[in-house]
Amino acid sequence: MSKLLHIQSSPNLDGSITRTLSDEFVATWAASHPETEVETLDLARDPVPHWGPDAIRGFMTVEGQRTPAGQAAVDLSEKLIQQVEAAKILVIGCPMYNMSMPTQLKSWIDHLTRAGRTFKFTGQGQYKGLIWNKKAFVILSRGGDYSAPPASAADFQEPLLRANLGLIGITDVTFIRAEGQRLQEAPTYIEKARETIAWIAG
C-alpha cells in the first residue's frame, strides 16, 4: 500500500480548473494503481495559518522554551511535515494568482520548510533537502499562455514551486499545465492537459 497526498489550493470552490484536473488525475491514478491510499488536504476549506510572530518565535526557539502559541505553531508544522513524509506521491493543484501561487499554498510551504527538520545548510548558499523518495505531480492553470517567451519571463508560479519543493528534497516533479484559461483557446489547452493526465496517471 502506497499513500498519495492530494493537495488542493484553489480558493475557487466552484469551477476551478486545478480542482477539476487534479481530481481527475487522482481518480485515474487510483484506478490504475489500486494499492494506493488517497489522503486529501484542502487548503481552502481547511487553511493553514499564515506565518506570524508566534510561528517565527516557535521555529527559532528550542523545545522546552517555547510559548504555548509558539509550540502550537511547531506542532502544526510537524503534523504537516509528517503527512508529507507518509506519502509516496504528491498531487498538487495550483492556479496562478498574480503570476505566482495562492496564499493558501504558500502558507503550507512555509510550515513545511524548517531548517534542521526538512532541509539543512551545508555551506555558504548551499543546502540539502531532508525529505526524500517522493514523486510530485503539480497541476497548474494560468489565465494566459506562459509556455514561451516573452510571457514566460513573468511566470513565477512554476519556478517558485520547483525551488520550494527542491529545497526540502522533492526534486522529482512533473508539471501538467492548463495554459490560456482566459483565452479563446482554453478548451484546447484543457484537452491537452487531460491527455497528459491520462498518459501519466493511467
Side-chain angles (χ1 to χ4, degrees):
M1 182 69 70
S2 62
K3 178 171 283 189
L4 183 155
L5 178 60
H6 181 198
I7 300 143
Q8 292 280 28
S9 70
S10 175
N12 177 11
L13 302 183
D14 301 304
S16 164
I17 299 300
T18 58
R19 284 182 174 273
T20 299
L21 292 179
S22 63
D23 280 344
E24 291 178 10
F25 185 103
V26 171
T28 303
W29 184 277
S32 60
H33 302 78
E35 76 288 354
T36 302
E37 175 188 353
V38 176
E39 181 178 6
T40 299
L41 176 61
D42 193 322
L43 296 171
R45 291 187 168 95
D46 188 18
V48 174
H50 289 96
W51 262 30
D54 292 328
I56 295 293
R57 295 188 188 108
F59 278 37
M60 299 182 68
T61 304
V62 298
E63 188 172 359
Q65 297 181 18
R66 300 179 183 121
T67 64
Q71 186 61 53
V74 173
D75 290 345
L76 173 59
S77 169
E78 188 62 29
K79 175 184 175 182
L80 295 170
I81 290 169
Q82 290 181 9
Q83 190 177 38
V84 171
E85 289 176 329
K88 187 70 173 177
I89 303 292
L90 304 181
V91 177
I92 303 172
C94 175
M96 177 184 278
Y97 282 2
N98 300 319
M99 296 180 288
S100 183
M101 68 180 77
T103 181
Q104 290 83 359
L105 186 58
K106 182 61 167 62
S107 294
W108 176 74
I109 289 171
D110 287 340
H111 281 78
L112 289 184
T113 308
R114 281 171 53 196
R117 177 63 178 89
T118 56
F119 76 99
K120 64 180 180 180
F121 293 107
T122 58
Q124 183 66 33
Q126 299 177 323
Y127 59 86
K128 180 178 181 180
L130 301 177
I131 297 182
W132 305 319
N133 299 321
K134 311 295 178 189
K135 171 65 181 172
F137 298 96
V138 183
I139 317 297
L140 304 178
S141 68
R142 305 78 119 52
D145 186 341
Y146 292 82
S147 61
S152 58
D155 175 12
F156 301 98
Q157 177 194 32
E158 182 175 328
L160 182 57
L161 279 166
R162 189 182 296 279
N164 285 150
L165 293 170
L167 174 60
I168 63 174
I170 303 174
T171 57
D172 187 357
V173 184
T174 298
F175 289 90
I176 301 170
R177 307 167 193 86
E179 305 273 3
Q181 293 310 298
R182 299 291 184 185
L183 304 178
Q184 186 175 358
E185 300 85 0
T188 301
Y189 286 116
I190 291 177
E191 185 57 33
K192 288 173 63 178
R194 285 196 163 114
E195 289 173 0
T196 302
I197 287 169
W199 179 64
I200 292 176

